[in-house]
Amino acid sequence: MKWILIAVIVLLGAGFAYIYWQNGQIPELGHTNGQFKPLSDNPNGVSTQASDPDKRVATWPFKTDQAETMQAIKNAVASHGGAEQVSETSDYLRVVFVTPKMRFRDDVEFYLDAENKEVHFRSASRAGKSDMGLNRQRHEQLTALYHR
């Protein structure tokens, strides 16, 4: 019985170490010709460009112009809180949200499609298999803040 308990503790420790390691890995993200990298098969991300309808979320309309749209996105992210800006260009913004309890990192990207006057969104957890709907909730919260 003692050995089983030790084995369970070791396996749990290894599982937590793996999740901690995943959380620390910085993925190569961005867009190519307006297309984000595809989401993984895990149910821990959403995107306006997802081929899976369960992972798809709605785009946002532009404000009056690209500069005002970018500012509105940054204001929504700041109002939401818990994010650190990683990179920005005139048509792209990447931030990392850190969950309060477990300190998991979620990468969030915005692409401003000037031709179609819409904002594309991608949010995915770095670690774990499921996010319990957190990335979809974040999209909904940011959407409400963006439309203020």
Side-chain angles (χ1 to χ4, degrees):
M1 187 67 164
K2 178 180 174 183
W3 291 110
I4 293 174
L5 181 61
I6 290 171
V8 167
I9 291 171
V10 168
L11 287 174
L12 284 173
F16 281 117
Y18 179 70
I19 289 172
Y20 181 78
W21 174 81
Q22 276 184 314
N23 195 43
Q25 301 305 301
I26 300 171
E28 288 188 36
L29 297 175
H31 68 91
T32 303
N33 298 323
Q35 292 295 308
F36 292 133
K37 294 193 185 300
L39 294 168
S40 74
D41 290 335
N42 292 334
N44 65 355
V46 295
S47 173
T48 57
Q49 300 174 346
S51 56
D52 180 347
D54 292 334
K55 295 181 178 188
R56 193 172 307 127
V57 292
T59 59
W60 299 342
F62 258 42
K63 300 290 185 179
T64 57
D65 61 22
Q66 189 165 317
E68 185 180 335
T69 300
M70 180 62 82
Q71 190 57 54
I73 294 168
K74 290 174 15 179
N75 290 345
V77 168
S79 293
H80 185 282
E84 173 188 330
Q85 184 173 319
V86 175
S87 62
E88 177 183 356
T89 64
S90 63
D91 67 353
Y92 176 80
L93 178 67
R94 178 176 172 192
V95 297
V96 175
F97 282 90
V98 180
T99 61
K101 290 183 183 177
M102 299 296 289
R103 311 296 297 158
F104 289 128
R105 296 182 179 285
D106 297 340
D107 294 286
V108 178
E109 300 175 280
F110 304 89
Y111 169 68
L112 284 67
D113 180 351
E115 183 177 326
N116 295 307
K117 303 277 189 228
E118 60 187 6
V119 178
H120 285 281
F121 177 89
R122 181 185 188 278
S123 181
S125 302
R126 287 185 187 178
K129 183 171 175 95
S130 174
D131 66 349
M132 296 187 284
L134 179 64
N135 286 296
R136 182 171 298 280
Q137 290 171 6
R138 182 179 297 118
H139 176 265
E140 292 167 2
Q141 293 164 350
L142 287 170
T143 298
L145 292 168
Y146 176 78
H147 287 299
R148 275 192 192 172

